[in-house]
Amino acid sequence: MGVLASIFTWWNGATIGTNRALRSKARIGTDSLGNVYFEGGVDPNGIARRWVIYRGANDASRVPPEWFGWLHHQTDLVPDAAALPARRWQKAPLPNQTGTDAAYRPAGALERGGHRAGATGDYEAWMPGE
């Protein structure tokens, strides 16, 4: 990303201001997607502030579950150091599928032909004055 783009665009990575502010913060780790996590300072309630700088598009669904827990203070254990083994029933996390071919499209959606099942007769329209 060029210098000019990093001044004005926040949706494709950190801006210059964010990068400057994070220089004084502790770099905690990196996840499997290349997102980088930082910690430093405290909020008005005395809770440590935590950040994620996304690699690529800024999409919160791209934060893996173990880092989500750390980022939202559900655990203070850094996921790199305390990786739990995956369970048999767990699936790999998926990013947000909205706008892609893999997005959910219910029956009746235009992308699926736009045809819905007929009415079942259990609906009675309201008529004014009745």
Side-chain angles (χ1 to χ4, degrees):
M1 179 167 54
V3 174
L4 190 60
S6 67
I7 293 172
F8 299 108
T9 61
W10 54 265
W11 52 88
N12 285 324
T15 62
I16 287 178
T18 302
N19 282 329
R20 232 177 129 192
L22 290 176
R23 282 192 301 187
S24 63
K25 310 304 180 206
R27 182 179 173 146
I28 302 300
T30 305
D31 65 21
S32 59
L33 299 172
N35 301 326
V36 183
Y37 298 86
F38 294 88
E39 184 175 45
V42 294
D43 70 4
N45 297 320
I47 299 171
R49 290 185 184 262
R50 295 175 175 173
W51 291 269
V52 59
I53 301 300
Y54 299 100
R55 181 174 179 233
N58 290 346
D59 181 5
S61 70
R62 293 181 59 237
V63 174
E66 60 274 8
W67 279 101
F68 179 91
W70 176 84
L71 199 58
H72 293 274
H73 299 280
Q74 294 171 347
T75 180
D76 286 332
L77 300 175
V78 176
D80 287 344
L84 297 174
R87 311 231 177 174
R88 280 188 336 219
W89 46 265
Q90 286 179 314
K91 291 183 179 180
L94 290 174
N96 187 346
Q97 301 296 307
T98 302
T100 68
D101 289 336
Y104 173 70
R105 291 177 174 85
L110 294 176
E111 294 87 356
R112 287 188 57 188
H115 300 290
R116 295 188 333 184
T120 60
D122 61 349
Y123 174 76
E124 202 174 303
W126 174 77
M127 297 294 288
E130 286 185 7

